[in-house]
């Protein structure tokens, strides 16, 4: 799946939530995610190298966690992200497989997340990083075959601006 992703640092969460409520949008309940990021040996930031992310997701303390393996590639030349997600049953077994394939753990990120569906192909996430308590708004749009990347990215930036958010961040969470 091809996506365009834009995120920004949120300075005033209450103001953002109020602006979203004013247009009839409301965040989902909070859930927790923990990502372990794996990269191939020789990985260089800002390159087209793939990353594998093992995600643990918990929606309620009385439910079993869900595990997901996400293959991600950011294609610098085009500005798109290629993302393929697969549900995993055996977390530790998959981590061992990733390591045997020559990947190494590069970082970890824990966050509390809420989400809003903006449209059929666009999601807005509000992420609070556990280590820093920093809040980010992340907006993602799934691209069709003919959707122009630059126009789609500008639309996402303008959507964030319409909610008063302008502090765009290019780095991934584990790079911050």
């Amino acid at each position: 799946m091809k996506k365009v992703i834009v995120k920004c640092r949120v300075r005033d969460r209450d103001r953002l939530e109020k602006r979203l409520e004013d247009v009839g949008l409301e965040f989902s309940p909070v859930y927790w995610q923990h990502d372990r990021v794996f990269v191939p040996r020789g990985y260089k930031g800002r390159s087209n190298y793939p990353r594998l992310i093992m995600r643990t997701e918990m929606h309620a303390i009385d439910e079993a966690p869900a595990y997901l393996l996400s293959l991600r590639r950011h294609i610098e030349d085009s500005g798109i992200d290629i993302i393929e997600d697969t549900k995993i049953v055996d977390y530790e077994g998959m981590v061992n497989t990733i390591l045997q394939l020559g990947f190494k753990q590069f970082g970890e990120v824990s966050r509390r997340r809420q989400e809003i569906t903006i449209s059929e192909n666009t999601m807005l996430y509000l992420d609070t990083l556990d280590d820093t308590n920093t809040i980010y708004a992340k907006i993602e749009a799934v691209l069709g075959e003919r959707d122009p990347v630059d126009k789609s990215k500008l639309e996402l930036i303008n959507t964030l601006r319409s909610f008063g958010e302008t502090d765009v961040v290019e780095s991934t969470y584990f790079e911050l």
Side-chain angles (χ1 to χ4, degrees):
M1 162 181 336
K2 294 189 315 185
K3 289 185 179 182
V4 173
I5 302 169
V6 176
K7 73 172 145 296
C8 64
R9 185 173 178 165
V10 174
R11 301 276 182 214
D12 187 341
R13 178 190 177 117
D14 293 334
R15 183 188 66 183
L16 173 61
E17 286 189 32
K18 173 74 172 109
R19 288 186 173 183
L20 290 165
E21 287 173 7
D22 288 346
V23 295
L25 298 172
E26 192 172 314
F27 281 108
S28 69
V30 175
Y31 59 97
W32 180 78
Q33 289 182 330
H34 180 80
D35 291 349
R36 289 172 67 188
V37 181
F38 296 87
V39 296
R41 303 211 187 280
Y43 174 82
K44 296 176 185 157
R46 303 283 176 232
S47 62
N48 294 332
Y49 286 95
R51 296 185 318 270
L52 292 173
I53 299 170
M54 282 297 300
R55 176 169 292 163
T56 303
E57 194 169 279
M58 291 190 65
H59 287 266
I61 57 171
D62 58 343
E63 295 176 11
Y67 302 116
L68 183 78
L69 173 65
S70 185
L71 169 64
R72 294 178 171 256
R73 284 191 67 206
H74 178 74
I75 311 300
E76 288 292 328
D77 296 346
S78 66
I80 64 170
D81 286 84
I82 307 295
I83 302 170
E84 296 297 332
D85 293 328
T86 305
K87 289 183 180 181
I88 300 298
V89 175
D90 181 2
Y91 183 94
E92 288 304 319
M94 183 53 68
V95 168
N96 287 332
T97 300
I98 290 168
L99 294 172
Q100 289 177 32
L101 288 170
F103 283 75
K104 62 181 180 175
Q105 187 170 331
F106 192 72
E108 291 188 60
V109 177
S110 291
R111 65 183 155 267
R112 287 164 280 136
R113 172 171 273 189
Q114 292 175 277
E115 58 189 51
I116 291 177
T117 301
I118 301 287
S119 71
E120 182 181 340
N121 294 324
T122 306
M123 293 292 294
L124 175 67
Y125 301 99
L126 189 64
D127 292 335
T128 304
L129 302 187
D130 287 350
D131 287 347
T132 63
N133 255 356
T134 308
I135 301 170
Y136 293 90
K138 179 178 175 182
I139 190 167
E140 300 179 348
V142 176
L143 295 180
E145 286 301 316
R146 300 197 191 305
D147 291 339
V149 174
D150 291 338
K151 181 181 175 192
S152 297
K153 185 172 184 174
L154 184 58
E155 287 173 2
L156 296 180
I157 290 170
N158 287 335
T159 299
L160 288 171
R161 285 184 179 149
S162 73
F163 298 125
E165 300 304 327
T166 59
D167 191 5
V168 174
V169 176
E170 296 290 329
S171 300
T172 62
Y173 290 143
F174 72 89
E175 292 172 324
L176 291 173

